[in-house]
Amino acid sequence: MQSKNILVINQYFSPDLASTGQYAAEICHGLARNGKKVRVITAQPCYSRESPEAPLQEEDDGLSITRIPMGRLRGRENLITRIAGYLYFLIKARREASRLSKKHRIDLVITFHNPPFVGLLGAFLKRKKQIPFVYILYDINPDALLSSGWKIPSVLVWFWERLNKKMLTQASKVVVLSERMKESLKQKKGVEKDKIEIIPPWGRPELVEIKGNVSVRQELGLGEDELLLLYAGNMGVIHPLEVIIEAARELIDLPLKILFVGDGTQRQSLEEQVTREKIKNVLFLPYQPEDRFVELLGAADCCFVTLRKSLDNLSLPSRAFTFLSAGKPIIALMEKETDLSQLITDNQCGWVVEGKEQLTALIKRLFQEREEILNFGLNARQVYMKHYRKEKIIKKYIEVVDNCLNSEKAILGEKSSA
């Protein structure tokens, strides 16, 4: 049987630092191991200015990767640079997709959501060449941006929604992370429920063998009885990180360290606040190489996962699943009704708090409840191993791809015989 040719398009892709790019790479490798021929159009690493270099053309374990050079359009800290990078990638990726679709038979197109309109390339190939299109959507925008406080002119919101409609209408399947995201697409975007598939994330990286790391705690100057709380990932507008800083200020006299690892639009202002107010129990590090991140995670007692109000139906913090895989209890700073909050409380693998007062009270209590931290960590790993292992989740993506290929083949066959 001739292998199926899959074209995958996303601005971010391993070894870039963006979590979407890391997920995209592992899904592609899973498809390749399943016998698919996978061609990838992506950008040279550009999620941050510190993103690692990668070759423009690469053959990697069954993947054929084409990377578009981004020049100075690297990083997300400057909004103009980010938007210019989005537009540049879309133009170049469209040309490359047209070239590849002429040179090779393409049986299926998959796009993620970076940049926000990359699904237009999948919609274009679906409409022009009748190639089935799977749209993997980890954030729903502009809704998430608007809900987190971004001021976007109404005309741009209208235009964005028109483009969303084109992408969602042309998609053969739309993959989202949670039940609430599915409901949002149904209620707000008018997407047919049978078109939407729910596939949760897995731990990225997946750390089922991680152990405590005493040497890293010593490097960070932590005493034996000191609590280390870790926030790792994007410091963007959808995360209420200022609440953590405010709680740290209230707890300045306790043996506590809060470590932020990552980058994003909020990082500079948070660091300036910590310096200005002399909050000595908060540390910042940029994105770390994976082995160093694993060491820091092993040293942590608990991990933060955050999401602003009214965003649970538009996004899901995927980093939570890395923490679950590592057996680290989660402090979820978000509304109690979210999908992730319910997962945490139902399985007793962490705590859900809303606001500075609840967070401050919880941290104070944890100094007296060290046994609870250990027990919740064991529960975290157990629920992860049962439901969210990478091999289980990638099988679900393969099923979606195979079902989509078979369904579209049947539909096109009916049309050709009509």
Side-chain angles (χ1 to χ4, degrees):
M1 181 183 293
Q2 189 175 19
S3 63
K4 296 294 184 180
N5 288 277
I6 312 295
L7 176 62
V8 177
I9 310 173
N10 195 59
Q11 182 168 341
Y12 305 128
F13 198 84
S14 180
D16 211 341
L17 302 171
S19 62
T20 308
Q22 299 288 332
Y23 279 116
E26 295 198 34
I27 291 168
C28 287
H29 281 294
L31 291 170
R33 288 191 296 270
N34 186 249
K36 275 62 172 184
K37 174 63 179 176
V38 182
R39 304 180 190 279
V40 179
I41 299 173
T42 186
Q44 276 202 306
C46 59
Y47 187 73
S48 77
R49 296 189 185 97
E50 292 77 32
S51 293
E53 295 295 328
L56 294 178
Q57 297 287 337
E58 184 178 11
E59 298 292 325
D60 179 24
D61 194 21
L63 309 186
S64 178
I65 304 171
T66 298
R67 294 188 176 91
I68 295 168
M70 298 299 288
R72 297 180 179 179
L73 301 177
R74 292 162 58 94
R76 296 161 49 88
E77 296 80 9
N78 183 291
L79 184 59
I80 294 176
T81 299
R82 189 196 307 190
I83 293 174
Y86 285 168
L87 295 175
Y88 181 81
F89 175 77
L90 285 173
I91 292 169
K92 294 293 186 178
R94 186 181 186 279
R95 292 177 182 172
E96 184 64 20
S98 296
R99 185 187 72 82
L100 286 176
S101 65
K102 291 177 182 177
K103 185 176 180 181
H104 305 281
R105 187 190 84 253
I106 304 296
D107 298 298
L108 178 75
V109 179
I110 299 174
T111 78
F112 289 75
H113 60 97
N114 296 122
F117 307 132
V118 70
L120 290 173
L121 304 184
F124 168 76
L125 291 171
K126 170 72 179 296
R127 187 177 67 255
K128 293 293 185 181
K129 301 199 173 186
Q130 299 299 302
I131 301 172
F133 160 43
V134 174
Y135 190 17
I136 300 176
L137 192 58
Y138 290 169
D139 293 302
I140 300 175
N141 281 310
D143 311 59
L145 294 176
L146 292 169
S147 295
S148 59
W150 279 56
K151 305 299 182 184
I152 305 176
S154 58
V155 65
L156 292 182
V157 173
W158 175 85
F159 182 65
W160 196 327
E161 293 291 13
R162 290 291 298 272
L163 297 181
N164 276 339
K165 185 174 182 180
K166 290 180 181 294
M167 293 183 283
L168 294 167
T169 299
Q170 291 294 328
S172 308
K173 286 290 183 181
V174 182
V175 176
V176 294
L177 299 174
S178 69
E179 184 64 42
R180 281 179 169 80
M181 291 180 72
K182 178 176 180 176
E183 286 299 315
S184 183
L185 286 185
K186 287 165 54 181
Q187 300 298 327
K188 296 183 178 181
K189 310 296 182 185
V191 182
E192 299 173 6
K193 65 177 182 179
D194 292 340
K195 183 184 282 193
I196 307 170
E197 299 287 342
I198 300 172
I199 304 180
W202 64 89
R204 171 83 284 291
E206 190 172 61
L207 302 170
V208 295
E209 298 298 331
I210 194 170
K211 297 180 179 179
N213 198 311
V214 176
S215 63
V216 172
R217 291 179 66 90
Q218 292 173 343
E219 286 178 36
L220 296 172
L222 294 169
E224 185 176 340
D225 296 327
E226 200 160 3
L227 274 182
L228 176 61
L229 308 182
L230 173 68
Y231 177 87
N234 180 33
M235 302 181 198
V237 295
I238 70 172
H239 303 288
L241 303 180
E242 69 282 352
V243 177
I244 301 175
I245 301 296
E246 292 166 3
R249 183 178 55 210
E250 295 289 323
L251 301 168
I252 196 71
D253 295 326
L254 291 178
L256 169 73
K257 283 288 191 302
I258 297 177
L259 175 61
F260 288 87
V261 178
D263 211 338
T265 55
Q266 287 196 86
R267 178 178 169 175
Q268 182 177 346
S269 63
L270 293 173
E271 285 192 274
E272 289 173 353
Q273 180 184 356
V274 166
T275 301
R276 183 175 62 252
E277 299 180 10
K278 298 180 180 179
I279 305 174
K280 302 296 186 181
N281 55 0
V282 176
L283 306 173
F284 287 88
L285 291 174
Y287 281 110
Q288 300 292 297
E290 187 170 300
D291 56 349
R292 180 59 176 173
F293 167 71
V294 172
E295 291 178 347
L296 293 169
L297 181 54
D301 295 289
C302 306
C303 300
F304 287 108
V305 177
T306 65
L307 192 65
R308 291 196 187 276
K309 290 183 178 180
S310 304
L311 285 170
D312 70 292
N313 61 339
L314 306 171
S315 185
L316 182 72
S318 60
R319 183 66 79 181
F321 295 85
T322 296
F323 301 150
L324 292 175
S325 78
K328 296 295 179 178
I330 292 172
I331 300 175
L333 183 56
M334 60 185 63
E335 294 178 293
K336 298 186 187 310
E337 296 77 18
T338 70
D339 289 292
L340 185 57
S341 294
Q342 292 179 3
L343 185 160
I344 290 169
T345 55
D346 290 349
N347 294 281
Q348 293 189 309
C349 53
W351 310 268
V352 180
V353 295
E354 297 183 63
K356 183 191 73 173
E357 289 75 17
Q358 291 185 20
L359 177 57
T360 302
L362 171 66
I363 294 174
K364 287 180 179 178
R365 186 173 69 78
L366 290 180
F367 280 98
Q368 311 300 322
E369 301 288 349
R370 298 299 183 100
E371 191 70 22
E372 185 173 83
I373 293 175
L374 295 176
N375 290 336
F376 279 23
L378 293 173
N379 294 343
R381 181 167 290 168
Q382 185 177 38
V383 71
Y384 181 83
M385 296 294 287
K386 185 175 181 180
H387 297 291
Y388 301 107
R389 287 292 301 267
K390 179 174 71 172
E391 60 188 34
K392 291 177 176 287
I393 303 302
I394 288 183
K395 282 181 181 178
K396 295 182 180 181
Y397 279 99
I398 293 171
E399 289 173 5
V400 167
V401 166
D402 286 341
N403 290 338
C404 186
L405 285 168
N406 294 334
S407 297
E408 291 291 327
K409 182 178 179 181
I411 293 170
L412 294 176
E414 290 174 4
K415 289 182 177 180
S416 64
S417 61

